[in-house]
Amino acid sequence: MKNSIKVIYGLLLGLAFTQCESYDFEQEQYQNEINLLSNSQLIYDRQVADLSKSTDTIYMVAGLSGTNNSDQAFNVAIVEADSLFNAYNKSNFDIDSARFARLLPEECFSIPNFEMQIPAGESQVKFPIYLQNLDKLSPDSTYFLNYRIDPLKTDAFNADKAEVLLRIYKENEFSTTVENVFYNYTSSYIIKLDKNDPETRRPTSSNQVFALGGNSVRMMAGDETFGNYNTAYNQINAKSIKVVIGEQTSQNPLARNVTIEPYNNLDVVQMTPDDMYNNTFLINIISTPDGRATYYKEFRLHYKYRLNDTDPYREVKAILRLEYSPRAELL
């Protein structure tokens, strides 16, 4: 009986080896297929354009899947598309067209190559996209580029990852569109310049700061709010200032002079420096007795504004402060 079991076991083992020899393990390997790098929503949002440069470069990445690197080159071609862009607006805003994302204007980008190769033995190729004129974009809108693989000029590709939305983010030294950036009011005053009805407020909230160009930002003139999103655009235009950061001051290498201007049509007048409200942008380093340092970006502003011609001016003495880490910004 034992011998019979051994014989049967040997036959089964021999059969298994025979099947292994005839089985094509290559069929079980992940195939080499081209895809456009994106997240689960088919959006690639990991790049940020530097507004301090007249031209900056981001990349559209075509990857090659597969268990093993291929020993041959793969051709990749891309063409413009709009299906993901339209689906994004539909799913996020339905018919509320005022809130729709926008395609990046042609004057703001160029793509030198629409056909490239993934070399043999490598797993990706990057299509450079040159960005310029980003200071002309509204800081209140979302911008995308929408491209897909050209099936007529591309080798084997993954149809589920053949299209991508590239989110266009921008940043300068003072703010970014990647996230909402708020500077906190510190030791600040808003003074109503009306002899018959004087009023002094001390704003204790924060002011959202938007990157505009390489050396400019936008913020609300006072402690007014945007209101609801249906009226926000008009409120922003009517109540915002533009702060342009200029050259280093002669007194402090960590301070730079600023100029205060209307963002759109607000009546705003820059006033002469008053003590610490000296119309500068300052890197303020505050050290504790034990040697630890805390770093702040600060706008120190002095100006007056009014929303209507018949209104009294409101004088603003403001220190707007944002804590930051110099090491983190170098990463």
Side-chain angles (χ1 to χ4, degrees):
M1 184 67 180
K2 290 182 179 180
N3 290 334
S4 299
I5 293 174
K6 290 180 179 179
V7 171
I8 294 171
Y9 178 76
L11 290 173
L12 291 174
L13 188 62
L15 181 61
F17 276 117
T18 302
Q19 289 179 337
C20 287
E21 288 175 0
S22 63
Y23 195 84
D24 186 0
F25 279 103
E26 294 298 322
Q27 296 299 319
E28 288 297 298
Q29 305 295 305
Y30 287 113
Q31 299 299 304
N32 292 126
E33 291 183 335
I34 296 167
N35 60 82
L36 296 180
L37 184 63
S38 65
N39 61 20
S40 59
Q41 286 79 46
L42 301 180
I43 297 174
Y44 187 40
D45 56 0
R46 297 300 181 92
Q47 301 173 98
V48 186
D50 185 353
L51 288 170
S52 67
K53 302 176 181 177
S54 59
T55 301
D56 201 7
T57 306
I58 63 172
Y59 297 92
M60 187 185 322
V61 182
L64 184 66
S65 65
T67 304
N68 300 313
N69 289 336
S70 174
D71 58 2
Q72 66 180 31
F74 277 72
N75 295 318
V76 189
I78 56 172
V79 293
E80 261 188 289
D82 62 9
S83 58
L84 285 180
F85 174 75
N86 292 332
Y88 177 91
N89 280 332
K90 178 64 177 177
S91 62
N92 286 280
F93 310 114
D94 195 20
I95 61 172
D96 189 0
S97 59
R99 303 177 68 193
F100 278 8
R102 303 179 186 182
L103 288 172
L104 189 66
E106 290 185 3
E107 64 178 320
C108 294
F109 75 99
S110 62
I111 301 178
N113 300 308
F114 287 86
E115 296 183 43
M116 299 186 74
Q117 267 195 352
I118 300 177
E122 297 189 15
S123 60
Q124 67 175 26
V125 67
K126 295 180 179 180
F127 289 81
I129 302 172
Y130 303 140
L131 301 179
Q132 64 270 337
N133 301 320
L134 297 186
D135 57 330
K136 297 181 179 180
L137 302 180
S138 168
D140 307 302
S141 297
T142 299
Y143 292 90
F144 287 107
L145 288 171
N146 189 174
Y147 281 85
R148 63 176 175 83
I149 288 173
D150 184 348
L152 300 179
K153 300 179 180 180
T154 304
D155 294 329
F157 63 91
N158 181 349
D160 294 330
K161 299 283 283 185
E163 189 171 347
V164 64
L165 271 180
L166 281 88
R167 178 75 179 265
I168 307 301
Y169 288 121
K170 57 182 184 175
E171 66 181 3
N172 58 22
E173 181 184 349
F174 321 101
S175 189
T176 178
T177 61
V178 176
E179 59 187 1
N180 294 330
V181 178
F182 292 90
Y183 282 67
N184 295 315
Y185 280 109
T186 304
S187 302
S188 300
Y189 301 88
I190 299 177
I191 305 161
K192 185 178 179 182
L193 301 178
D194 186 344
K195 294 180 180 179
N196 299 320
D197 184 24
E199 178 189 21
T200 299
R201 297 198 305 271
R202 294 194 63 178
T204 57
S205 57
S206 57
N207 200 333
Q208 188 171 357
V209 174
F210 297 82
L212 292 179
N215 64 339
S216 60
V217 296
R218 188 194 72 194
M219 63 182 71
M220 296 296 279
D223 54 357
E224 295 88 5
T225 62
F226 296 161
N228 67 64
Y229 74 86
N230 289 314
T231 61
Y233 182 76
N234 292 331
Q235 295 292 322
I236 289 168
N237 284 330
K239 300 177 179 179
S240 294
I241 61 173
K242 177 180 178 181
V243 180
V244 181
I245 298 88
E247 298 298 323
Q248 183 183 91
T249 67
S250 57
Q251 298 84 9
N252 185 350
L254 296 178
R256 294 155 66 182
N257 291 309
V258 304
T259 303
I260 302 166
E261 306 172 357
Y263 173 65
N264 196 323
N265 50 17
L266 179 70
D267 183 356
V268 58
V269 179
Q270 182 167 330
M271 301 181 72
T272 56
D274 184 358
D275 193 28
M276 59 185 173
Y277 311 104
N278 56 1
N279 293 324
T280 61
F281 171 80
L282 173 68
I283 299 298
N284 191 5
I285 306 171
I286 300 177
S287 299
T288 60
D290 61 358
R292 290 178 296 174
T294 305
Y295 295 82
Y296 296 97
K297 297 179 180 181
E298 291 183 2
F299 288 99
R300 298 186 164 207
L301 308 177
H302 188 206
Y303 60 93
K304 64 180 180 180
Y305 74 98
R306 59 183 177 183
L307 301 180
N308 301 292
D309 292 342
T310 56
D311 291 343
Y313 279 103
R314 295 184 181 275
E315 180 182 1
V316 177
K317 296 181 177 181
I319 295 178
L320 288 160
R321 175 181 285 179
L322 173 69
E323 184 177 349
Y324 80 105
S325 168
R327 290 185 179 179
E329 291 199 355
L330 292 174
L331 296 179

